Structures are given as structure tokens and as C-alpha cells.
Amino acid sequence: MSVPVVYSPRYQRSGLVHFERFEWLHRQALAEGLVQVNEPQPLDLEDLRGFHADDYLDAMRTGARPLAQSSYLPWSEGLLDTCLAMLGGQLHAADLALGNGMAFNLACGFHHAFPERGGGFCVFNGLALVAAKRPELQVTVLDCDEHGGDGTEAFCARLDNLSAISIFGTRFGIRGGINSLAFNVPNEEGEARDPGFLDSLDQALDLILQQKPDLVLYQASADSHIEDPRATLKLSTATLRLRDQRVLSALRWARIPVLVTLAGGYQQPERTGALYLQTLRVANEVLSCRIPRVNPIHSGRRRPGTESD
């Protein structure tokens, strides 16, 4: 069984190295027979009125500074085309996940984009957009990026049907708030952070299984990897594989649909892409197995809550 994914050549219209990892992943996943590829229709910028601020959308249409470069990515018509294609892919993948139980968008979730601006290489917030366009659904974001999802947290305060749990090494402005939990993985000098990360993940999964949202958006990032230049978590390849197994197995057991996005990664495109490819392989393994009768994930030892510095 191969996992449904969404991808379009438009995802590379920006010409930026930043997005090359998705093109590499698409080629490799097809070569291995891991995916069923669906091509989305891009959104129009006007589809984002009422979601992002009008002055920000106007700036993104024309390239007007400083707002058009508030994501720190150089504005171009190609960048705008890429991001609108990825957003169209996000909504398409959400529909596939609801129908099939699991789907991937081979793209960013853009969790640092705020209602009024971009941020942190994120132009438009594709995670919050799913909740905004599907108000009848309770949507939970499980964000396992190195950096806390501060933009998504801002949208959580605006959208009653959106909640987020962020498990991070670098706070990046996230504090926890309305419908937003922030798990800062403990950092003891000289000790690996893998056990603390997995403990926080178990707590997050316990909470999601209790709440049973209609859809989970899982940010399966690669920038927390031990070899990533921006990582503080420094998680091993084996820990990232175990992370994916726990998340996807638990959600399949609970019959909660999941849309997977692939978030950050700052190694060479092939190296980051290989970590994403591991996530796709795990997804196929989970889909090929019978659903277990009991929860396959060990319960966390603490009650879910926020962590502080």
C-alpha cells in the first residue's frame, strides 16, 4: 500500500534552494513506489482575504517592502506562485487525509507565518489555513519542528476550531496560550535530548487521543536532526524514525485522520530529503499493518502541560 501524497512542479517555481528538498523527495519516493501522487490546483491570493491581513496580501502581490520580505525569503512572482501552489496542496491533502486516514503534502506547513506578516522562511500559514477553510472540523497541529510554531500559535487565538501542540528545542517566540501548548524539551548539559523529546511526544499524543480531533496536522520536521546546522535538539536518525512510528501508529489506532507536512531542514537537499523519505517509508509500514487492538504508544509519565525555559 502506498500513501497518498500531494505534489506539483509549481512547488519549485521560486527557484530557491530552500525548496529543492521537496523536488528531490518527490523523485525518490516515485522511484521507490512509495506514493500515489495527486496534483493540486493552486490557490488565488484573493482566497486568503480575511485569513491574512489585506495589507500583507497586497504587499505579497506587488513585492512591496518590508512586508513582502517579512518571511526573510526574497520576494518574486515565482515565490508567490510556489506558496499558493503549496497552499492549494495543503487543502487537497486535507481532503485526502479525511477520506483515506492519512495523506502527505510534500511541502512546508509554514508555521512561522502570522496573520499580519510572514516570518522564519514562512510566507502564508498553511496549517492554520486548513482550520480556517474547514470551520466544521476540530483541527489539531502536532508540531515537531526544532523551532516553536509561533505563527500558528497566533492563529490559535483567532480560530476556535484550531489547537496546536509544539515540541521544540528553540522557542522562537512561542509561549503557549489560547489553544496552544508549548513543550520546551529539557536541555541538561552533557545529556542527549532524545529521551526528553520522546517523553514530551508521549504526553502530546496522550492529549490528542483524549481530545480526538477531526484532523491532525503533523509537522514531521527534519531540522531537529543531529547533523542539522540549526538544531539544538540534535535528535538521532533512529529517534526521528521512532517519532514518526509513534505518531502515525497512535493516530491510526485511534482512527484520527492525519495530514503530514515536512517543515524544516537545513542540511543539503539530498540529506534532508532522505530524512523525509524515512517518514514516508514509516507511513507505508504503518498503513500496511493491521490496526492494533490496544494503543501501541506508551503513556507519558506526566500530565500534559507547558514547559518553561
Side-chain angles (χ1 to χ4, degrees), residues 111 127-128 139-143 149-157 159 161-167 174 176-183 204 207-208 211 217 306:
H111 65 160
L127 301 171
V139 177
T140 295
V141 175
L142 176 58
D143 193 335
D150 54 341
T152 305
E153 181 169 86
F155 277 102
C156 284
L159 299 171
N161 66 323
L162 176 66
S163 61
I165 304 173
S166 191
I167 307 171
I174 193 172
I178 299 173
N179 296 326
S180 173
L181 285 178
F183 285 84
L207 184 58
I208 290 170
Q211 294 178 337
L217 309 182
T306 57

Side-chain angles (χ1 to χ4, degrees), residues 38-146:
N38 301 263
E39 185 165 349
Q41 290 296 317
L43 290 190
D44 188 278
L45 194 66
E46 293 304 306
D47 294 328
L48 302 179
R49 295 286 176 189
F51 177 68
H52 281 293
D54 285 347
D55 58 349
Y56 179 50
L57 297 177
D58 294 341
M60 284 304 302
R61 184 179 294 282
T62 63
R65 298 185 180 187
L67 277 177
Q69 295 197 7
S70 57
S71 68
Y72 313 128
L73 293 173
W75 182 90
S76 68
E77 290 184 359
L79 174 64
L80 181 60
D81 193 24
T82 286
C83 294
L84 291 173
M86 288 183 173
L87 293 183
Q90 192 77 343
L91 297 179
H92 191 165
D95 288 340
L96 288 173
L98 290 165
N100 295 277
M102 184 190 302
F104 279 61
N105 188 20
L106 304 188
C108 305
F110 293 130
H111 65 160
H112 295 312
F114 283 75
E116 304 85 4
R117 60 174 174 81
F121 307 135
C122 300
V123 179
F124 305 120
N125 197 305
L127 301 171
L129 181 66
V130 174
K133 295 295 186 181
R134 299 297 298 268
E136 77 280 10
L137 300 178
Q138 288 297 318
V139 177
T140 295
V141 175
L142 176 58
D143 193 335
C144 291
D145 196 89
E146 163 67 31

Side-chain angles (χ1 to χ4, degrees), residues 30-299:
L30 278 177
E32 291 191 22
L34 292 174
V35 294
Q36 309 164 28
V37 180
N38 301 263
E39 185 165 349
Q41 290 296 317
L43 290 190
D44 188 278
L45 194 66
E46 293 304 306
D47 294 328
L48 302 179
R49 295 286 176 189
F51 177 68
H52 281 293
D54 285 347
D55 58 349
Y56 179 50
L57 297 177
D58 294 341
M60 284 304 302
R61 184 179 294 282
T62 63
R65 298 185 180 187
L67 277 177
Q69 295 197 7
S70 57
S71 68
Y72 313 128
L73 293 173
W75 182 90
S76 68
E77 290 184 359
L79 174 64
L80 181 60
D81 193 24
T82 286
C83 294
L84 291 173
M86 288 183 173
L87 293 183
Q90 192 77 343
L91 297 179
H92 191 165
D95 288 340
L96 288 173
L98 290 165
N100 295 277
M102 184 190 302
F104 279 61
N105 188 20
L106 304 188
C108 305
F110 293 130
H111 65 160
H112 295 312
F114 283 75
E116 304 85 4
R117 60 174 174 81
F121 307 135
C122 300
V123 179
F124 305 120
N125 197 305
L127 301 171
L129 181 66
V130 174
K133 295 295 186 181
R134 299 297 298 268
E136 77 280 10
L137 300 178
Q138 288 297 318
V139 177
T140 295
V141 175
L142 176 58
D143 193 335
C144 291
D145 196 89
E146 163 67 31
H147 307 91
D150 54 341
T152 305
E153 181 169 86
F155 277 102
C156 284
R158 295 185 172 209
L159 299 171
D160 291 339
N161 66 323
L162 176 66
S163 61
I165 304 173
S166 191
I167 307 171
F168 56 88
T170 304
R171 187 169 288 280
F172 215 84
I174 193 172
R175 291 292 169 186
I178 299 173
N179 296 326
S180 173
L181 285 178
F183 285 84
N184 190 12
V185 177
N187 188 9
E188 300 294 336
E189 186 174 355
E191 294 186 11
R193 300 177 81 179
D194 302 62
F197 172 82
L198 291 173
D199 184 53
S200 295
L201 181 65
D202 284 348
Q203 294 180 68
L205 287 171
D206 284 345
L207 184 58
I208 290 170
L209 297 186
Q210 291 168 27
Q211 294 178 337
K212 291 210 73 170
D214 299 306
L215 178 66
V216 168
L217 309 182
Y218 170 41
Q219 286 255 93
S221 184
D223 62 356
S224 56
H225 186 253
I226 190 169
E227 295 176 6
D228 194 287
R230 296 178 184 265
T232 67
L233 286 172
K234 300 291 183 184
L235 304 178
S236 71
T237 303
T239 294
L240 293 183
R241 179 179 176 83
L242 185 57
R243 173 200 71 182
D244 296 335
Q245 287 174 328
R246 290 191 182 187
V247 172
L248 298 179
S249 295
L251 296 177
R252 181 165 166 76
W253 171 79
R255 291 178 169 81
I256 299 173
V258 55
L259 162 57
V260 185
T261 57
L262 296 165
Y266 301 95
Q267 302 182 60
Q268 291 298 314
E270 295 83 358
R271 182 56 181 144
T272 299
L275 294 170
Y276 294 159
L277 196 63
Q278 174 175 260
T279 301
L280 277 171
R281 289 174 180 148
V282 169
N284 276 278
E285 291 169 7
V286 170
L287 284 176
S288 67
C289 294
R290 288 186 176 182
I291 298 177
R293 293 187 178 184
V294 295
N295 185 354
I297 307 305
H298 295 295
S299 297

